[in-house]
Amino acid sequence: MKNTINVLKEKVILVGCQFQTDIDEQFYYSMDELASLTKTANGEVVMTLTQKRDRPHPATYIGKGKVDELLSLTEQFEPDIIIFNDELSPSQMRNLSSTLDVRIIDRTQLILDIFAGRAKSKEGKLQVELAQLQYLLPRLTGQGIALSRQGGGIGTRGPGETQLETDRRHIRNRIHEIKQQLSTVVRHRNRYRERRKKNQAFQIALVGYTNAGKSTIFNRLTTAGSFEEDLLFATLDPMTRKVLLPSNYQALLTDTVGFIQDLPTTLVAAFRSTLEEVKEANLILHIVDSSNDDYENHETTVYDLLEQLDANEIPILTVYNKKDQTPATFVPTPNEEYVQISAFSNDDLQLLLNRIEKVMKEVMDHYSVQVPAGEGNMIARLKSETLIEKLSFNEAEETYEIDGYVVPTHSIARQLEEYN
């Protein structure tokens, strides 16, 4: 399903500073990622300006000489917007805007803008607006002229745009209103989670760095039609669907928002309730784009965020995706349970399902019972609510001999003790 925005692209100049603590490779990958984020926001990069410094300039982030160079580039390329690869302070933003006379945004604002365009659910839209307003609040002073531009464009989209000309009190009131609405939505989500827990279905969560291929894998395994495109943050709202395993057991599979390095703290906080879907999982599928040279940092970013969510104790199966594009130099991370696939290969998807089932059996409890043929209801429940490995009929005793696996907390697990 395509959702390409057919509007005129905005011309963008990217600006980045490499500090003493930044390794060359990581810095350049970060700049490449900023270019990808810009593409996702429908921008076209016309020039990239970088500088090496010990620390950010307190007034303008980059040095005075680079500001002059940026001014010349602005006159030459006439960009619609300049995007900095870091979060600018309110005073830096103000000083740069007055000197360059062009719209300035930072990496945080760019990510917020992309999230604004991707949010579809009520909760997602509220969370984006909350993050936008929390970002905007300390940046109001002295920005009246810049913020009064009501036209569209990168950094101005989304639920928060009508608040740009309001005063602090109005924004604080709106933040309070959103938090109240979100608490209601979160209560509804928690009730839904509790119902799912009562049903005791085995829950699998897809996590991974943005654009690793989570939605493609999700769609191929569930045929759900989640938005899928080669863009960062193509999926924002979580989606849960049933997935049929080789044993005919049905588990629940949840697609989640992609993780990213330097994700704005306001967004981590705002999307905590959405990301907490991961905490409910019995198994995490960590999708990694093995064709990306920076895959190791991507893995680290995901593990760090899982730790923040207190989800690092859940069993993880690492899925290295895009193996058809993976360089020969690729080395899987040691001591991990992993599988290498291409999401577009049916054989690889079957391999993935088999590996998922293998790991599930390690997490679930094994059982072996004999159920009288007359207890059709119990046999039907075992078929639908447990993972059956072997089922045969013993004619002499008129019983079904069933071997399988059950979620330890499932209500049927206690009933199985009666047949031992």
Side-chain angles (χ1 to χ4, degrees):
M1 184 173 72
K2 296 294 178 185
N3 191 26
T4 308
I5 304 168
N6 296 314
V7 295
L8 194 64
K9 291 182 181 295
E10 292 182 271
K11 291 193 293 183
V12 179
I13 292 178
L14 303 182
V15 181
C17 257
Q18 182 180 4
F19 304 116
Q20 280 184 327
T21 54
D22 297 334
I23 300 166
D24 284 356
E25 278 188 349
Q26 284 181 311
F27 173 70
Y28 292 121
Y29 284 136
S30 179
M31 290 302 296
D32 287 344
E33 190 169 77
L34 186 67
S36 295
L37 287 165
T38 302
K39 175 195 169 191
T40 299
N42 205 47
E44 181 186 1
V45 178
V46 294
M47 176 56 66
T48 299
L49 179 70
T50 61
Q51 181 180 31
K52 288 190 175 183
R53 289 182 61 85
D54 291 342
R55 63 184 69 85
H57 191 288
T60 53
Y61 185 72
I62 52 176
K64 185 179 182 303
K66 281 291 176 182
V67 173
D68 292 340
E69 188 179 338
L70 187 55
L71 184 60
S72 299
L73 290 172
T74 302
E75 290 167 355
Q76 180 184 346
F77 290 99
E78 297 182 343
D80 300 292
I81 190 167
I82 297 173
I83 303 176
F84 281 74
N85 191 30
D86 209 341
E87 187 165 315
L88 299 176
S89 70
S91 60
Q92 287 170 339
M93 185 92 69
R94 194 163 52 246
N95 294 335
L96 287 164
S97 295
S98 60
T99 303
L100 300 169
D101 192 31
V102 66
R103 195 151 52 93
I104 308 285
I105 68 169
D106 57 25
R107 183 186 178 94
T108 299
Q109 212 169 340
L110 177 60
I111 293 173
L112 285 169
D113 180 75
I114 293 167
F115 271 56
R118 294 284 177 263
K120 295 293 180 284
S121 69
K122 181 182 178 183
E123 182 181 12
K125 288 176 180 176
L126 286 171
Q127 286 171 326
V128 171
E129 184 177 359
L130 177 63
Q132 285 179 319
L133 293 176
Q134 287 172 331
Y135 172 86
L136 176 64
L137 192 58
R139 291 167 172 78
L140 280 177
T141 309
Q143 286 202 64
I145 296 170
L147 295 179
S148 67
R149 298 172 185 171
Q150 286 280 323
I154 298 172
T156 66
R157 281 191 285 264
E161 66 184 357
T162 55
Q163 271 70 49
L164 295 180
E165 290 181 309
T166 59
D167 59 13
R168 286 174 189 244
R169 190 192 316 159
H170 185 93
I171 289 181
R172 287 196 184 101
N173 288 341
R174 181 61 187 149
I175 287 173
H176 179 68
E177 285 171 16
I178 292 170
K179 284 182 175 178
Q180 285 185 319
Q181 289 181 54
L182 274 174
S183 67
T184 303
V185 174
V186 168
R187 281 197 300 273
H188 286 311
R189 182 184 287 279
N190 287 338
R191 280 200 292 271
Y192 175 64
R193 281 180 186 151
E194 288 303 315
R195 281 203 302 274
R196 284 214 312 241
K197 276 184 182 176
K198 284 178 184 175
N199 293 336
Q200 300 292 348
F202 192 95
Q203 297 183 52
I204 305 168
L206 287 171
V207 305
Y209 206 79
T210 182
N211 211 31
K214 293 185 302 302
S215 294
T216 304
I217 291 171
F218 181 80
N219 287 337
R220 299 275 285 154
L221 293 179
T222 66
T223 63
S226 175
F227 178 62
E228 173 191 324
E229 195 163 328
D230 185 21
L231 295 172
L232 301 185
F233 298 120
T235 300
L236 183 57
D237 298 304
M239 182 183 286
T240 301
R241 292 289 184 273
K242 289 179 180 178
V243 59
L244 187 66
L245 296 164
S247 63
N248 287 322
Y249 178 76
Q250 286 190 335
L252 292 179
L253 186 65
T254 299
D255 190 14
T256 63
V257 61
F259 296 174
I260 193 168
Q261 293 177 63
D262 306 318
L263 188 66
T265 51
T266 50
L267 271 179
V268 174
F271 282 88
R272 195 171 185 87
S273 62
T274 303
L275 291 169
E276 279 179 353
E277 286 285 333
V278 176
K279 288 176 66 175
E280 303 299 321
N282 301 102
L283 171 67
I284 290 173
L285 292 188
H286 177 194
I287 314 300
V288 181
D289 177 1
S290 57
S291 70
N292 192 303
D293 293 336
D294 203 28
Y295 74 92
E296 289 177 286
N297 281 324
H298 292 183
E299 287 189 66
T300 302
T301 299
V302 171
Y303 282 122
D304 288 346
L305 276 167
L306 286 175
E307 194 167 343
Q308 284 183 45
L309 292 165
D310 299 322
N312 51 326
E313 297 299 318
I314 298 168
I316 295 176
L317 172 61
T318 301
V319 181
Y320 289 112
N321 189 28
K322 308 184 186 180
K323 78 171 187 183
D324 51 321
Q325 303 168 37
T326 300
T329 52
F330 170 76
V331 179
T333 304
N335 306 319
E336 280 188 1
E337 180 90 23
Y338 74 88
V339 60
Q340 284 183 268
I341 70 160
S342 166
F344 296 104
S345 163
N346 289 329
D347 290 342
D348 284 357
L349 288 175
Q350 193 59 43
L351 172 68
L352 174 58
L353 288 170
N354 288 331
R355 287 300 294 274
I356 290 171
E357 197 162 88
K358 176 180 175 288
V359 177
M360 282 175 62
K361 289 176 182 177
E362 295 169 4
V363 175
M364 299 166 86
D365 286 347
H366 179 263
Y367 72 85
S368 181
V369 294
Q370 288 187 320
V371 183
E375 297 190 24
N377 186 48
M378 183 63 177
I379 294 165
R381 283 193 66 196
L382 289 174
K383 284 181 178 178
S384 64
E385 298 173 29
T386 73
L387 192 160
I388 290 181
E389 192 171 51
K390 177 187 165 190
L391 187 151
S392 60
F393 183 63
N394 186 325
E395 290 186 17
E397 298 187 21
E398 292 192 345
T399 60
Y400 283 92
E401 295 176 352
I402 306 173
D403 286 9
Y405 295 85
V406 62
V407 177
T409 54
H410 198 298
S411 57
I412 205 171
R414 191 172 296 173
Q415 292 174 256
L416 284 169
E417 296 172 7
E418 300 171 14
Y419 296 92
N420 289 331

